Amino acid sequence: MANSPYALDKLRSTLIRLEDTIIFALIERAQFTLNSCVYDKGALEFKGATGDKNFLEYFLWETEKMHAKVRRYTSPDEYAFTSPLPEPILPPLEYDQFLEPNDINVNDKIMSMYVKYIVSAICENSDDKNYGSAVTKDIEALQALSKRIHFGKFIAESKFRSNPDEYIRLALVEDREKIDELLTNKVVEKQVLQRLRRKALVYGQTLDEAQEGTSKHLRIPVDVVVDLYEQWVIPLTKQVEVDYLIARGKNAAAAVAK
């Protein structure tokens, strides 16, 4: 698989690009205040227009309806947060069948993590009335995080193909701990966190000499970006990978047994 687009080094280059996307999405969201009412169901500001959803959920659903019509969620690396969604109005595209068919989706956990821990850490706790602009940036950040975390399936499939017998053996006994150990490369994880810290420091600078060396010199806290990956992105990616590999291993064993 050395020259394949699904070789580990090429997949990791995609993950590195997604780091940039996520950091810039957070910087864009941080230009607006928290506007906490957009996350509250029944907030008086919206006069019941969002039904049983909060404003972010409502806006996200309407956005994903439009994206679904142009076949965004037929791509194997895109996962919707909402449902039901309309069928595409464009003809289908043919994608390489690299992944085993699956329905693994952790967007509910991504949404919960983002709203509870991330947005409040990067935004000033006040209300600037820019509700539409704020949730537009929320959606960009959520979609980037979702793509990054679910991209773990491609890493898992690549690793499965490099050592199928061992992954099948562990999948059949559902040994999640051993699968996680087999997947984990501590050196790479450390490099990721170090790279994120450097990127957040560089990308987040205001380049205002008067503010240099102060907290105002950075548009988002560097530690928030590192903690986001260490506490949420990496663990959720591993959950996706382990779930995928258990299903993948069992299906492979069943196919051999036929």
Side-chain angles (χ1 to χ4, degrees):
M1 287 182 58
N3 296 320
S4 166
Y6 304 111
L8 274 178
D9 60 336
K10 294 184 179 179
L11 294 175
R12 284 180 178 140
S13 70
T14 299
L15 297 181
I16 291 172
R17 289 198 303 273
L18 285 170
E19 293 170 5
D20 300 347
T21 304
I22 289 168
I23 293 172
F24 282 118
L26 296 178
I27 290 171
E28 287 292 302
R29 177 60 181 93
Q31 70 182 300
F32 304 104
T33 64
L34 181 59
N35 296 321
S36 61
C37 64
V38 303
Y39 311 115
D40 297 334
K41 291 182 180 179
L44 296 178
E45 286 85 349
F46 308 110
K47 301 178 181 179
T50 62
D52 62 350
K53 295 176 169 52
N54 64 36
F55 186 64
L56 172 59
E57 292 167 343
Y58 172 80
F59 202 113
L60 179 57
W61 190 28
E62 294 300 320
T63 300
E64 290 194 333
K65 286 178 186 177
M66 184 60 67
H67 290 181
K69 288 182 179 181
V70 293
R71 66 190 173 205
R72 176 171 187 164
Y73 303 110
T74 64
S75 173
D77 61 352
E78 296 282 359
Y79 295 84
F81 284 82
T82 65
S83 65
L85 295 174
E87 292 297 316
I89 61 174
L90 298 177
L93 295 175
E94 291 188 10
Y95 294 98
D96 292 340
Q97 293 298 310
F98 180 70
L99 296 180
E100 184 84 2
N102 68 91
D103 59 0
I104 298 165
N105 186 322
V106 296
N107 278 341
D108 57 339
K109 295 183 179 180
I110 296 171
M111 173 68 81
S112 177
M113 167 270 293
Y114 178 81
V115 172
K116 287 182 180 179
Y117 303 108
I118 302 306
V119 70
S120 60
I122 62 174
C123 296
E124 177 187 321
N125 187 15
S126 61
D127 190 320
D128 61 12
K129 311 299 182 186
N130 287 306
Y131 304 140
S133 297
V135 297
T136 297
K137 299 308 178 183
D138 282 333
I139 290 169
E140 291 174 1
L142 286 164
Q143 290 175 331
L145 286 164
S146 176
K147 186 168 187 174
R148 164 60 180 82
I149 288 166
H150 290 102
F151 202 80
K153 295 179 186 182
F154 289 86
I155 301 293
E157 178 65 27
S158 183
K159 291 194 173 185
F160 177 88
R161 295 189 184 195
S162 70
N163 192 3
D165 292 342
E166 183 65 6
Y167 280 112
I168 289 172
R169 183 184 70 81
L170 294 172
L172 291 174
V173 294
E174 296 191 16
D175 193 333
R176 300 182 66 88
E177 185 176 343
K178 287 292 178 60
I179 293 173
D180 182 74
E181 288 178 6
L182 199 57
L183 281 168
T184 300
N185 185 327
K186 292 291 186 183
V187 173
V188 171
E189 287 185 9
K190 185 177 180 180
Q191 290 172 344
V192 167
L193 297 176
Q194 291 172 339
R195 183 171 62 243
L196 281 163
R197 182 172 293 278
R198 294 194 300 271
K199 285 183 176 181
L201 187 61
V202 173
Y203 299 164
Q205 293 181 69
T206 62
L207 301 181
D208 185 335
E209 291 183 6
Q211 295 178 347
E212 190 168 356
T214 71
S215 59
K216 292 182 179 180
H217 181 53
L218 298 175
R219 289 175 287 184
I220 56 172
V222 172
D223 287 342
V224 171
V225 176
V226 177
D227 289 346
L228 168 63
Y229 263 72
E230 189 169 21
Q231 296 182 26
W232 299 104
V233 172
I234 292 174
L236 281 174
T237 302
K238 286 186 179 182
Q239 178 185 326
V240 166
E241 291 174 340
V242 172
D243 287 347
Y244 177 87
L245 285 165
I246 288 175
R248 179 71 169 96
K250 288 182 176 180
N251 289 343
V256 171
K258 287 182 179 180

